[in-house]
Amino acid sequence: MTANLAIDLDRSSPVPLYFQVAEQIAEAIRRGDLAPGSRLDNEILLADKLGLSRPTIRQAIQYLVDKGLLVRKRGVGTQVVHGQVKRSVELTSLYDDLRRAGQEPATQVLRLEPRPVEEEVAGILGVESGSEALYLERVRFAAGEPLAVLHNWLPVGLAALTAADLESRGLYELLRSAGVRMRVANQRIGARAATQVEARLLEERRGAPLLTMIRTTYDDQGRAVEHGSHVYRASHYSLEVTLIER
């Protein structure tokens, strides 16, 4: 823990000591006294510094891990997580939003291949069920941390995409470069628990809360040019919406 971080405990208070410790560490994170990536002392050192038992310190740290403020990494210790990505709901790609926010986006392409489409996606893209569409599956990273698993379907022949392109540029940027003029999107946001595969890819526990986003994007002729189904780590990601009275 940083040397200038002071934790002041009120041992006569009815507030549990673990909660006092957790709240003061959380406040230090919010103020910026503990920067993203900062490491905390191990439980033994913290307990010794504060005159508390190891179970009390362990409970405080677990509370902050559950809130998404701290993360335990094998061989590294307990660290402050990188700041949560707050994204406005606009017709932009996650890659571009992360780059503008200085979050060092990176992409791992898991799948890039033509696949037969099922009836629901075929109806969205305006193609025959069972015909082929281009399927993309990617993991998006922000500041070195996995943030989202992205699944996209695109009409075949819309743009010549390579894994190298998708690892260095956002999908929407690539589509615009290919002459696709995106104008409007329908988007549905929800939440659910992580599957075993998603938890592994996102370095979360199975059943951890994930935000979901399903989006279909249309060009200026009203044709569907992309359908995406994505999941995001709720501890690292939120959406911001501006509401206007009409």
Side-chain angles (χ1 to χ4, degrees), residues 34-52:
L34 281 175
S38 298
R39 283 194 292 178
L40 271 65
D41 292 331
N42 64 41
E43 293 175 1
I44 297 174
L45 288 174
L46 276 175
D48 185 57
K49 284 182 179 180
L50 299 175
L52 297 172

Side-chain angles (χ1 to χ4, degrees), residues 56-71:
T56 298
I57 295 298
R58 187 177 303 119
Q59 190 176 7
I61 290 175
Q62 186 59 50
Y63 175 82
L64 294 172
V65 168
D66 292 341
K67 286 187 68 175
L69 295 176
L70 297 178
V71 63

Side-chain angles (χ1 to χ4, degrees), residues 108 110 137 139 141 146 149 196-203:
Q108 178 186 6
L110 303 179
E137 183 179 353
V139 179
F141 296 80
V149 180
Q196 184 172 356
V197 172
E198 290 166 344
R200 176 177 55 81
L201 291 172
L202 293 172
E203 298 179 8

Side-chain angles (χ1 to χ4, degrees), residues 130-147:
S131 62
E132 288 192 338
L134 184 64
Y135 174 70
L136 315 179
E137 183 179 353
R138 298 163 291 161
V139 179
R140 178 63 42 75
F141 296 80
E145 294 279 346
L147 176 66

